[in-house]
Amino acid sequence: MYDLVWLIPLAPLVSFIILSATLGNLGKIPVAILGVGSIGLSASIVALIAFNWMNAGSPEPYTYTVTSWIDVAGFTPAISFYLDGLALTMMLVITGVGFLIHLYSSLFMQEDGDYSRFFAYMNLFVSAMLILVLADNLLLLYLGWEGVGLCSYLLVGFWYEEPSNGAAARKAFIVTRIGDTALALGLFLLFMHLGTLQIQPMMIAANQTWAAGDTIPTIAALLLLGGAVGKSAQLPLQTWLPDAMAGPTPVSALIHAATMVTAGVYLIARTHELYLLAPLAQAAVAVVGLATLLMAAFTALTQTDIKRILAYSTISQIGYMFLALGVGAWASGIFHLMTHAFFKALLFLGAGAVIYSLHHEHDIFKMGGLRTKLPVAFWSFMIGSAALTALPPTSGFFSKDEILLAAFAVNPWLWAGGLLGAFLTSLYSFRLVFIVFFGRVKTEPSAPAGARMVVPLVILCGLSVIGGWFHIPVDAVFPTIVDSHHDQMIAIITPLVPILGVILAYFLYLRKSLDFSALLESSFGMNLRKFIFSHWAMDWLYDKVFVVPYTRIARWNQADAVDLAYEGIANITSIFHYLTSFTQTGQLRWYAFTMVAGLVFILGIILRII
């Protein structure tokens, strides 16, 4: 059964090739069958493998080699897939949630003129993501890594006729390339010192070569962290993700909520043994995660675009995963990755249903009263927001609670920061729910979503509720964490704080019995709100530090100063050519004279030297 693993990334790849080769000439029904069916086939194979894996207890990791790739001076990476509990968990998320999003997209995108191109890009993305998580060597992982980056560019800029969409796509591509460069440097460093990019042999060699705290593993781990923060939209490379909401809503659900942005989390988890040798780098993972989750949570509180609120929420929740990895709660981080895929895909698809029914309106303050008008979307948001907020007994409660308690065992300040983030999460989540679904109707919705949009929402609602009871098979992948004993008060406070956030949101945005308008409308309040709304002026800062100097240099160098030297050489050569052309007279006596004169001149030089 395990030898079918190669079919999992192949099915969507073949679908991509067919859809690309037909140039959009297939009808929408064949396109939907290919686009959705290929992911369904991959999901079915993953489900069969998972069933056999679970029944086998704790089987040994399985490696399937498709073919050799490179053989240069002893460097022989192969196109080879490594199956263990971590890869299996990631595949279940990618193909399971991916199938539901593709099914939803088959109706959501039905009126789009580029229906075939959309599914071609989506299938290529899923194939690249599966290669990334199945790769048994870091070079093949890097191929999948760059593949999802390419697909992100293509899908964010899918509606390329709008210049702002193209700008958002370029921003996503360029910012993540910074992280990709750091990752590439990390791979070079590891190969130079360990002589292999095979992940498992590399981790064994690292433990045999280095001691905890050595310089080289610390630098390598920090470079890998640089790659992870780019792809997973963490500080300081998080600015691309909110703008990436320019793509279609299913793209936001698949790439920027459930899969691609978790690639950095997966990378750190897969190379966790390297981070155990680099305590400084592991601590940096925790600090980056905590800072990012707080910054993004504050920013989400000020946003008015329904998708941008969810985008900042994604950045914040990925921060929780980084926090978990940084405190050594590896399994808890992956657990939250899985539950987050359920409820964030649910929220994005629920937002898509609202946008679809409100004639593509995104401003939450132009919505309202949709609780009875769009009941499926309402309950999707209620359940998804409860899971995002970590209200018991939803899936988010189990995973986030584990992370916060693990953080307290390492450093109470990390726990306190994470708890503040949980409070802010509940506040902005139910701010969104109360404004959009309660109060008076401001935009009359059209007909509610069809079955192909409703069925995925219902399934994701169920997963968001019961997903916390799932057992992910990663016990054999990560080192065993000794259970730490917490004060009973900590165990009570941790889940209580998000509930207090929901209560505050109720009085602020539904009952409106608490009024802070005087503070918010003051000069200080307005400036603070503007600052936080702008994502803490990060785009402004990068514009002033990097973009403006670069454009000024480009304008100054319009004539291309570098080429001036080469153009000068070319001009001098042309002048000499022009002068020597006068010697071409066509007279034999002149040619003979110049040959003899030249020979005399050369002989004179030789005799003088002698």
Side-chain angles (χ1 to χ4, degrees):
M1 176 57 66
Y2 300 151
D3 58 3
L4 294 178
V5 68
W6 62 279
L7 287 173
I8 298 171
L10 181 65
L13 181 60
V14 170
S15 176
F16 159 74
I17 293 171
I18 294 172
L19 292 173
S20 299
T22 52
L23 300 175
N25 293 320
L26 290 177
K28 290 191 175 180
I29 292 177
V31 168
I33 292 172
L34 277 170
V36 180
S38 61
I39 307 302
L41 177 59
S42 294
S44 299
I45 297 171
V46 172
L48 288 173
I49 291 175
F51 180 78
N52 282 271
W53 188 276
M54 297 300 185
N55 285 340
S58 298
E60 290 295 318
Y62 175 79
T63 301
Y64 183 89
T65 301
V66 178
T67 183
S68 60
W69 187 3
I70 300 171
D71 188 355
V72 179
F75 179 53
T76 57
I79 298 177
S80 185
F81 301 132
Y82 182 80
L83 181 63
D84 66 352
L86 176 58
L88 183 60
T89 301
M90 294 296 296
M91 285 195 298
L92 286 167
V93 170
I94 295 165
T95 60
V97 176
F99 172 72
L100 296 175
I101 294 171
H102 276 71
L103 179 61
Y104 177 99
S105 303
S106 65
L107 178 59
F108 186 89
M109 297 295 293
Q110 193 165 19
E111 302 303 318
D112 196 280
D114 285 323
Y115 196 67
S116 179
R117 180 166 63 91
F118 174 81
F119 277 105
Y121 291 167
M122 291 280 276
N123 285 171
L124 179 61
F125 167 78
V126 172
S127 180
M129 190 70 197
L130 289 167
I131 290 172
L132 190 159
V133 301
L134 279 170
D136 83 327
N137 65 81
L138 289 176
L139 187 62
L140 185 60
L141 182 150
Y142 195 75
L143 174 67
W145 188 275
E146 291 300 307
V148 296
L150 168 65
C151 294
S152 174
Y153 168 78
L154 295 173
L155 285 164
V156 170
F158 181 77
W159 290 318
Y160 56 86
E161 297 89 349
E162 185 67 36
S164 60
N165 295 344
R170 290 191 297 274
K171 181 177 182 180
F173 192 78
I174 292 169
V175 173
T176 55
R177 289 294 77 72
I178 298 169
D180 296 352
T181 302
L183 175 57
L185 293 174
L187 301 192
F188 293 149
L189 182 63
L190 289 169
F191 180 75
M192 183 174 68
H193 285 272
L194 301 177
T196 182
L197 288 179
Q198 297 291 118
I199 297 174
Q200 306 311 315
M202 175 185 286
M203 295 301 104
I204 294 172
N207 281 291
Q208 293 173 345
T209 305
W210 297 314
D214 283 355
T215 302
I216 297 300
T218 300
I219 295 173
L222 288 172
L223 288 170
L224 266 58
L225 174 60
V229 299
K231 199 68 77 183
S232 291
Q234 298 291 284
L235 277 168
L237 300 179
Q238 83 288 4
T239 58
W240 66 270
L241 184 61
D243 291 346
M245 296 301 109
T249 300
V251 172
S252 303
L254 179 65
I255 295 183
H256 305 123
T259 51
M260 176 182 145
V261 291
T262 61
V265 178
Y266 171 78
L267 174 67
I268 295 174
R270 177 56 78 192
T271 57
H272 67 276
E273 293 182 61
L274 179 65
Y275 283 88
L276 292 175
L277 293 171
L280 178 63
Q282 188 175 353
V285 173
V287 171
V288 166
L290 180 61
T292 305
L293 75 88
L294 288 174
M295 172 182 279
F298 273 111
T299 308
L301 266 175
T302 65
Q303 301 299 306
T304 58
D305 185 303
I306 188 170
K307 286 178 64 177
R308 287 183 75 89
I309 294 171
L310 297 179
Y312 283 111
S313 171
T314 295
I315 296 172
S316 183
Q317 296 306 303
I318 301 293
Y320 276 105
M321 299 174 207
F322 270 65
L323 176 61
L325 300 177
V327 299
W330 312 101
S332 299
I334 300 302
F335 187 30
H336 194 57
L337 183 155
M338 180 189 72
T339 60
H340 174 262
F342 297 154
F343 60 72
K344 189 53 64 66
L346 173 62
L347 286 168
F348 265 113
L349 296 186
V354 171
I355 294 167
Y356 183 85
S357 299
L358 294 185
H359 322 290
H360 300 282
E361 179 60 64
H362 285 234
D363 190 340
I364 62 173
F365 290 103
K366 294 181 180 179
M367 303 175 186
L370 300 178
R371 178 167 51 92
T372 55
K373 303 281 186 178
L374 301 173
V376 175
F378 168 66
W379 284 108
S380 298
F381 260 88
M382 283 296 291
I383 293 172
S385 296
L388 173 60
T389 301
L391 298 182
T394 61
S395 60
F397 163 74
F398 292 96
S399 56
K400 192 178 288 186
D401 196 58
E402 283 186 11
I403 293 172
L404 291 174
L405 293 179
F408 181 83
V410 173
N411 188 323
W413 287 107
L414 295 176
W415 167 80
L419 201 60
L420 173 59
F423 176 78
L424 295 171
T425 301
S426 60
L427 197 57
Y428 70 68
S429 298
F430 280 88
R431 166 184 179 261
L432 176 59
V433 170
F434 293 143
I435 290 174
V436 171
F437 293 99
F438 291 83
R440 65 182 181 86
V441 177
K442 298 176 183 176
T443 303
E444 192 66 33
S446 60
R452 280 179 287 168
M453 292 172 66
V454 170
V455 170
L457 288 172
V458 172
I459 294 173
L460 286 169
C461 281
L463 291 173
S464 296
V465 173
I466 68 172
W469 298 97
F470 294 167
H471 173 72
I472 57 174
V474 296
D475 293 340
V477 178
F478 302 120
T480 302
I481 303 296
V482 178
D483 290 335
S484 54
H485 297 285
H486 304 283
D487 186 277
Q488 189 66 29
M489 187 59 66
I490 298 300
I492 295 173
I493 292 173
T494 301
L496 182 61
V497 167
I499 297 174
L500 295 177
V502 175
I503 295 171
L504 179 59
Y506 170 78
F507 284 109
L508 279 173
Y509 304 111
L510 187 58
R511 287 286 299 274
K512 298 182 179 178
S513 54
L514 295 177
D515 186 8
F516 295 103
S517 57
L519 175 61
L520 294 175
E521 292 173 5
S522 67
S523 176
F524 172 77
M526 293 178 66
N527 288 331
L528 180 62
R529 183 181 179 84
K530 183 179 179 181
F531 174 71
I532 296 176
F533 179 85
S534 69
H535 200 173
W536 301 56
M538 291 287 287
D539 280 319
W540 175 87
L541 177 64
Y542 288 165
D543 186 65
K544 295 298 182 184
V545 174
F546 299 109
V547 178
V548 171
Y550 180 83
T551 53
R552 285 178 178 172
I553 292 172
R555 283 195 295 270
W556 170 78
N557 193 37
Q558 280 182 330
D560 205 340
V562 175
D563 278 354
L564 289 178
Y566 298 102
E567 290 174 0
I569 294 172
N571 291 334
I572 292 172
T573 303
S574 297
I575 292 170
F576 275 108
H577 170 75
Y578 176 75
L579 294 175
T580 55
S581 68
F582 288 109
T583 65
Q584 305 300 310
T585 63
Q587 297 178 1
L588 183 61
R589 283 181 289 182
W590 170 250
Y591 292 157
F593 170 75
T594 54
M595 290 172 63
V596 172
L599 179 62
V600 170
F601 179 73
I602 293 171
L603 288 173
I605 293 175
I606 293 173
L607 292 174
R608 185 174 181 83
I609 293 174
I610 294 174

